Amino acid sequence: MADKVLLVGDGPLAEETAAFFREKKVEVWSLEQAREKAVPDIAAVIDGVSGPADWKKEGLRQAEALVFEQVPIFTSALYTCAAQAASWLNHPQRVAGFSPLCLREMKTVEISRPLQAEEDSGWTARLACWERWGKSVEVVGDEPGLVFPRTLALMVNESAYVLTEKAASAKDIDTAMKKGTNHPRGPLEWADRIGVDQVGWILKGLFEELGEDRYRPAPLIRKMIYANRLGRSTGRGFHRYR
Amino acid sequence: MIGAGTMGGGVAEVLAASGCEVILYDVTREALDEGVQRIQRRLGRQMKKGRIEEAEAEEIQFRIRPTVRLEEVAPARWVIEAVVEKLDVKRELFTRLEEVVDGESVLATNTSSLSVTAIAAAVKHPERVLGLHFFNPAPVMPLVEVVSGRMTHADTMDRAVSFIAALGKEPVRVKDTPGFLVNRIARPFHSEAYRMVGDGVADKEQLDRILRSAGFKMGPFELQDLIGIDINYAASTSVYDGFFQEPRFRPHPDQRQMVESGALGRKAGRGHYRHGG
């Protein structure tokens, strides 16, 4: 029988997450649907909300109220570490962080274990969910942005500083990284694809959690988010789209 | 072309392959011969792989005229320097070059870590000086960063961009800032990887696997083994110092320790991973 997951959140990234599950023949339920019609056999909660923390907390609490206490809760760790998200719940030991970025493209999924969860059979079962969904699992440390989102966000941030200094154009920045060091996409076109707001959440999470200047989001990124220049989804980000 | 080392010879080959007449200068006959032989070996390999005809390889070699006399670069319209990365050496060289070449010629430096502006300041006409940063190996890597120093004239930049495009390379324009584009924006790819490993977020193999899965051809650690851990560390410190110790660019202590231990990557047989034997 097909798995059912309860998806928290909306927006382009949550939609892409939903699309991944549908491709894997997993039924995706929204909070509204699950409230209207009780679904007893939800296999997992997938929290696709990056931030703000209040929305995330609210969504996670609503989801927790709708499922049994042993159901795994996978929370997007782009902005918050899994330990923080787990701290909001009645049963924090069933939480795991994950990265929703490029979920359809990547063979692997990054998972982080919050301090509240033991490395026990329950944990192994949580990892097995992702293997069932066709992913090879990489368990990484529980810090905002995990590995790939953190790496990408910092390159985008540096590119944003270059733009601010008017040292090069967005197009030339992307060309340079593709042709000069073989990156599969330029940092700015990549940011436009995943959403400039997502880059902002990752940087904000790192900056708040680790408290170091190296993670400070470039003012240009913050302004782009205010101006709704979020990338492909809104027609304009670092580049323009029709 | 000034300097017949790996980079200078590589750029000379690119120029000759696209039809330019190249005067290849180096200080000593030995350095020059070695450089020319390196070009010949590379062309030989290209021939074996069937990428170029014998006649073509011969023509390319024929277009490169080696010399140890700097006066012989006088007819050059484009002078590209790829000598040792020392500011004093480059400044002195540019002063001499200015005396030798025509006033219309462009003087370019292939520096990756020095300030183009500081090099240009040595000459009377800095408006015709700019950076042309080729990537190693020059015949293979398509990108060239065309670097505008503080005094570089806009026309010089436009001419250089057209010139690079005519060579079949991909020019990008960038202002004279530490690390230019690639070395600067790639800093977090490397330094944050050290940081994550140091803080126990992931181990090296795992981190490389994750980033490969995201689409990078190589993860940071396998890439550093290829390019040389010392080379990458030098890029880190140069960008860090260039920005007056901006915290974003701070290198990781493990970077230095790897270099100190002699684990420099593939060329040393060991780096982040073991190689050979």
Side-chain angles (χ1 to χ4, degrees):
Chain A
M1 206 178 73
D3 273 347
K4 295 185 176 75
V5 297
L6 180 57
L7 181 72
V8 182
D10 49 19
L13 189 57
E15 274 163 32
E16 207 199 302
T17 308
F20 160 78
F21 282 105
R22 291 200 189 97
E23 275 168 18
K24 299 290 171 185
K25 312 280 180 232
V26 175
E27 272 182 38
V28 180
W29 289 68
S30 69
L31 282 175
E32 292 81 42
Q33 288 169 323
R35 264 195 301 264
E36 277 167 24
K37 177 177 183 264
V39 207
D41 53 346
I42 290 282
V45 172
I46 307 290
D47 160 37
V49 180
S50 307
D54 288 349
W55 292 16
K56 221 175 142 65
K57 188 195 268 186
E58 185 54 32
L60 279 167
R61 284 183 170 168
Q62 287 182 20
E64 190 181 37
L66 292 167
V67 297
F68 293 120
E69 78 170 71
Q70 72 278 14
V71 172
I73 296 180
F74 297 105
T75 179
S76 164
L78 295 189
Y79 169 54
T80 52
C81 58
Q84 187 183 0
S87 75
W88 299 324
L89 299 177
N90 293 322
H91 302 286
Q93 70 283 354
R94 39 92 164 259
V95 173
F98 84 107
S99 161
L101 280 203
C102 305
L103 195 56
R104 294 163 85 182
E105 286 173 44
M106 288 175 72
K107 282 198 189 80
T108 64
V109 63
E110 295 182 55
I111 300 288
S112 70
R113 186 169 60 84
L115 275 182
Q116 295 94 325
E118 296 300 329
E119 215 171 343
D120 54 12
S121 57
W123 177 251
T124 314
R126 263 162 267 158
L127 300 186
C129 290
W130 288 94
E131 277 153 15
R132 203 162 66 237
W133 298 327
K135 292 290 184 190
S136 92
V137 175
E138 296 283 358
V139 178
V140 300
D142 186 29
E143 287 186 9
L146 307 174
V147 171
F148 163 60
R150 176 170 174 173
T151 305
L152 178 61
L154 288 174
M155 288 195 284
V156 175
N157 204 32
E158 198 50 49
S159 306
Y161 283 115
V162 172
L163 284 176
T164 305
E165 295 163 20
K166 295 191 166 51
S169 69
K171 186 171 164 282
D172 278 356
I173 289 170
D174 282 344
T175 302
M177 299 314 284
K178 285 185 287 187
K179 306 287 183 177
T181 183
N182 262 325
H183 286 191
R185 293 189 179 113
L188 299 176
E189 53 183 325
W190 218 335
D192 280 355
R193 201 173 266 266
I194 64 168
V196 177
D197 50 338
Q198 300 301 333
V199 174
W201 284 123
I202 299 161
L203 293 168
K204 193 167 149 60
L206 285 163
F207 189 52
E208 288 173 3
E209 201 68 33
L210 304 176
E212 285 170 67
D213 215 38
R214 62 197 273 134
Y215 304 112
R216 180 165 47 89
L220 175 63
I221 290 181
R222 296 213 301 267
K223 284 186 275 191
M224 286 177 69
I225 297 168
Y226 295 140
N228 205 36
R229 287 192 193 169
L230 306 183
R232 283 172 177 266
S233 66
T234 64
R236 187 167 183 189
F238 289 105
H239 302 280
R240 285 168 186 268
Y241 305 87
R242 42 180 306 262
Chain B
M1 188 68 226
I2 311 295
T6 311
M7 185 52 87
V11 175
E13 184 190 321
V14 169
L15 295 165
S18 71
C20 298
E21 298 293 326
V22 182
I23 305 158
L24 178 63
Y25 166 87
D26 210 316
V27 192
T28 66
R29 183 57 67 184
E30 293 73 39
L32 201 55
D33 288 348
E34 205 180 300
V36 169
Q37 281 161 21
R38 204 180 295 120
I39 295 171
Q40 285 168 351
R41 281 199 301 274
R42 204 158 38 214
L43 289 171
R45 282 200 300 273
Q46 296 281 84
M47 259 162 42
K48 265 190 198 158
K49 287 179 187 164
R51 288 195 190 132
I52 52 170
E53 299 286 319
E54 191 178 343
E56 204 183 339
E58 267 175 22
E59 266 181 48
I60 293 171
Q61 286 176 61
F62 192 68
R63 285 196 207 105
I64 302 176
R65 204 168 78 227
T67 181
V68 288
R69 289 163 39 86
L70 197 65
E71 309 83 75
E72 289 191 18
V73 309
R77 306 290 295 168
W78 290 88
V79 182
I80 307 174
E81 161 278 314
V83 302
V84 63
E85 285 278 82
K86 289 201 173 114
L87 184 59
D88 292 350
V89 176
K90 288 190 195 275
R91 283 174 62 104
E92 204 246 312
L93 175 68
F94 271 70
T95 319
R96 288 173 61 205
L97 280 170
E98 192 176 40
E99 302 297 317
V100 171
V101 298
D102 183 89
E104 289 294 299
S105 307
V106 174
L107 303 178
T109 171
N110 186 63
T111 186
S112 62
S113 59
L114 298 174
S115 153
V116 172
T117 306
I119 297 168
V123 305
K124 292 192 198 88
H125 292 287
E127 64 278 4
R128 59 158 161 169
V129 177
L130 48 61
L132 286 179
H133 183 211
F134 287 78
F135 289 73
N136 204 13
V140 178
M141 297 298 283
L143 188 79
V144 180
E145 291 176 326
V146 182
V147 186
S148 170
R150 188 163 282 272
M151 296 86 83
T152 307
H153 199 280
D155 284 350
T156 314
M157 283 296 284
D158 290 344
R159 284 168 65 194
V161 166
S162 309
F163 176 64
I164 294 300
L167 298 177
K169 295 286 182 189
E170 189 95 42
V172 290
R173 292 168 187 260
V174 57
K175 273 197 208 160
D176 186 19
T177 41
F180 310 135
L181 288 180
V182 175
N183 272 341
R184 174 175 175 182
I185 297 169
R187 269 322 90 204
F189 187 71
H190 296 288
S191 61
E192 202 60 17
Y194 276 100
R195 178 68 193 268
M196 286 189 272
V197 169
D199 291 357
V201 174
D203 62 40
K204 289 178 179 176
E205 291 86 347
Q206 196 186 16
L207 201 139
D208 279 350
R209 273 201 308 274
I210 291 169
L211 291 177
R212 269 203 311 274
S213 169
F216 293 94
K217 293 217 171 58
M218 286 183 154
F221 296 110
E222 47 195 344
L223 179 58
Q224 284 168 33
D225 273 6
L226 180 69
I227 60 186
I229 290 168
D230 50 341
I231 304 287
N232 180 60
Y233 176 58
S236 297
T237 54
S238 123
V239 174
Y240 181 58
D241 291 337
F243 278 101
F244 292 111
Q245 290 78 40
E246 159 63 44
R248 294 204 304 281
F249 299 115
R250 193 173 64 229
H252 194 277
D254 284 348
Q255 270 180 284
R256 184 179 53 205
Q257 205 168 59
M258 293 285 296
V259 175
E260 287 167 345
S261 77
L264 303 182
R266 283 192 197 180
K267 61 187 173 190
R270 67 198 169 91
H272 298 296
Y273 302 101
R274 291 210 148 268
H275 300 275

